[in-house]
Amino acid sequence: EWSVNGDAGLIDHFRVYALADGIEAYVGSSHPHITDAAYFYEDKEMFDRIGEVTYRVVPVLLDFKESQGESSVSIVKENNLPTFLR
């Protein structure tokens, strides 16, 4: 989940890319939620992958050109063992 500093009205959507094992690929997009202007993306393709995945979020303007101001986050999953909750 993320938010925008500045005029979010200039942004149409965000493109989300994932980098794993040296290969980067487009995995999806996120459009704003009208009620609170929050953005989020849930990756249903790479979520179960063991190892490091770096997600890069790129704003796309109203003219559909990618903009500057991208952000990234790395997620490392060490195993697929089930978690037991009480």
Side-chain angles (χ1 to χ4, degrees), residues 2 4-5 17 24 36-37 53 72 80:
W2 64 94
V4 172
N5 289 331
Y17 297 88
E24 184 178 63
D36 59 6
V53 178
S72 63
N80 275 336

Side-chain angles (χ1 to χ4, degrees), residues 4 11 32 49 73 80:
V4 172
I11 299 171
R49 184 184 186 286
V73 63
N80 275 336

